[in-house]
Amino acid sequence: MSTHLLFNQQESSTLVENFQNENYHQYSCTIIRKVLETKSYHEHEPLVVNALMEVMSNVLSKFKQAESDRDSILQLSNALYNLLLQVECVEAN
């Protein structure tokens, strides 16, 4: 079973390239874009994107030293994508 079924070949290549080049912002944007294609946030999407980016930043700060081979990066990408799908943004009153 392939470890990168969630991402098409172009997305996978972009993820690997950005991670290996330490372009973590673009790496995060690729995963967040995929989340937004999957899960619809009807209101306040810019705030949701900011929250997801903050989650990515916090997690990546712990994993920047991770193995940078293609399979490891794609496993991390899949895990981050699945994590972001679980994030629920609740509007404060």
Side-chain angles (χ1 to χ4, degrees), residues 19-35:
F19 192 91
Q20 289 177 334
N21 291 333
E22 298 181 9
N23 187 350
Y24 301 115
H25 179 78
Q26 279 306 117
Y27 172 84
S28 297
C29 287
T30 301
I31 295 173
I32 290 171
R33 189 174 313 112
K34 189 76 167 180
V35 169

Side-chain angles (χ1 to χ4, degrees), residues 4-93:
H4 51 88
L5 292 176
L6 295 174
F7 300 98
N8 65 37
Q9 183 150 351
Q10 181 180 353
E11 291 166 333
S12 295
S13 295
T14 298
L15 286 165
V16 170
E17 180 180 336
N18 284 328
F19 192 91
Q20 289 177 334
N21 291 333
E22 298 181 9
N23 187 350
Y24 301 115
H25 179 78
Q26 279 306 117
Y27 172 84
S28 297
C29 287
T30 301
I31 295 173
I32 290 171
R33 189 174 313 112
K34 189 76 167 180
V35 169
L36 293 176
E37 289 173 2
T38 304
K39 190 171 182 178
S40 178
Y41 296 97
H42 299 291
E43 295 183 29
H44 310 296
E45 189 169 290
L47 295 174
V48 170
V49 170
N50 287 340
L52 295 178
M53 188 61 80
E54 188 67 30
V55 170
M56 288 292 293
S57 176
N58 289 335
V59 172
L60 283 174
S61 69
K62 308 291 186 216
F63 287 95
K64 287 180 181 174
Q65 303 302 321
E67 293 291 325
S68 60
D69 64 88
R70 180 177 176 83
D71 284 340
S72 295
I73 292 169
L74 294 174
Q75 285 179 346
L76 176 62
S77 301
N78 286 344
L80 289 168
Y81 169 79
N82 286 322
L83 172 67
L84 293 185
L85 282 179
Q86 301 304 312
V87 172
E88 294 294 333
C89 298
V90 178
E91 183 179 354
N93 291 331

